[in-house]
Amino acid sequence: MAYYRLIRQAIADIGAMIFPRLCEVCGTALTQGEDVMCTECRYNMPRCRIHTDPFNIMHRRLAGHTLIDKAAGYFYYYSGNNYTRLILSAKYHGRPRIVRHLAREFARELSADDFFSGIDMIIPVPLHRSKLRRRGYNQSQHIAQGLSEVSGVPVADNISASRAHGTQTRRNAYLRWLNAKDSYSVVRPENLNGRHVLIVDDVITTGATLLACCEAVHSAAPDATVSVLTLAVTQLR
């Protein structure tokens, strides 16, 4: 067995020389033990560390609209910053393993802080079938799976995209809200009443998409508790 492991490692080393794995942030070659990001970029990542605050920036962004229990974000998303590549590559360039890997990392930190205590299910923000057909995958589903792999909390699909809506990019807060309003519906609401649901997306900007999903859950299952999580949190001006 040791012999075969050496052979596999040798093949992997040769492959790395021909097709080196690169840091998704700065583009430098990754060394053994590094994945997605190099050590320096991981150290300099603009982390949020907001999940221990009972009324953090994500709560405030959704305040006055719907009741949110817990809220967590992994890193701040600044326009033009190289860390945006982590989301953009996963979302638009066929690299969803990036956000799945980041979700596993984030989940290990959250588990240490007991964030998943009491949460019954993880529900990714869904894509409308037309957009899912074009893209081929839902990046939020991969985030949910990564969280589940570490936390053990199951992934559910009780929210569906009931109508297609255009991209939220370059819309202001009000237009984002109008764009997302009534875009989501709940299936099998009886499975949500009395349960604690964690709704997951890749980025929160104004919060319009998460808000639409949270409102759909609260409307269909009034006794459900809702928390939210995103990998990236934008800084609003």
Side-chain angles (χ1 to χ4, degrees), residues 48-78:
C48 294
R49 307 184 192 280
I50 60 175
H51 59 273
T52 58
D53 183 346
F55 193 67
N56 61 49
I57 185 174
M58 294 176 69
H59 287 100
R60 291 194 292 274
R61 211 162 286 185
L62 300 171
H65 298 285
T66 190
L67 185 62
I68 301 297
D69 187 46
K70 304 177 185 181
Y74 195 23
F75 65 96
Y76 287 114
Y77 187 101
Y78 304 100

Side-chain angles (χ1 to χ4, degrees), residues 58 86-92 94-104 106 116 121-128 131-132 135-149 153-161 165 168 184 198-205 209-210 213 228-232:
M58 294 176 69
L86 296 169
I87 299 298
L88 297 178
S89 292
K91 192 168 187 174
Y92 300 117
R95 309 285 301 287
R97 72 167 295 273
I98 295 172
V99 290
R100 190 162 183 156
H101 173 83
L102 294 175
R104 287 194 296 265
F106 193 26
F116 294 103
M121 62 185 74
I122 301 170
I123 304 181
V125 169
L127 289 181
H128 188 265
K131 185 175 289 187
L132 183 60
R135 189 173 298 171
Y137 58 90
N138 177 3
Q139 71 281 356
S140 296
Q141 176 74 28
H142 285 266
I143 295 171
Q145 291 292 349
L147 296 171
S148 179
E149 287 166 14
V153 179
V155 177
D157 60 352
N158 294 79
I159 302 176
S160 67
H165 63 79
Q168 298 281 53
Y184 303 97
L198 178 64
I199 300 177
V200 171
D201 204 4
D202 53 356
V203 183
I204 179 173
T205 304
T209 298
L210 280 174
C213 289
V228 296
L229 179 151
T230 64
L231 286 184

Side-chain angles (χ1 to χ4, degrees), residues 20-31 34 36-41 85:
R21 297 179 306 116
L22 303 179
C23 174
E24 298 291 342
V25 177
C26 69
T28 60
L30 297 177
T31 62
E34 295 178 337
V36 175
M37 284 184 286
C38 67
T39 301
E40 182 175 358
C41 287
R85 296 174 183 173

Side-chain angles (χ1 to χ4, degrees), residues 133-187:
R133 189 162 51 246
R134 290 195 303 272
R135 189 173 298 171
Y137 58 90
N138 177 3
Q139 71 281 356
S140 296
Q141 176 74 28
H142 285 266
I143 295 171
Q145 291 292 349
L147 296 171
S148 179
E149 287 166 14
V150 173
S151 68
V153 179
V155 177
D157 60 352
N158 294 79
I159 302 176
S160 67
S162 51
R163 70 173 178 85
H165 63 79
T167 178
Q168 298 281 53
T169 305
R170 291 186 290 276
R171 296 176 191 262
N172 63 29
Y174 178 67
L175 291 178
R176 283 173 181 259
W177 176 76
L178 284 180
N179 194 37
K181 187 176 182 293
D182 300 325
S183 293
Y184 303 97
S185 59
V186 169
V187 295

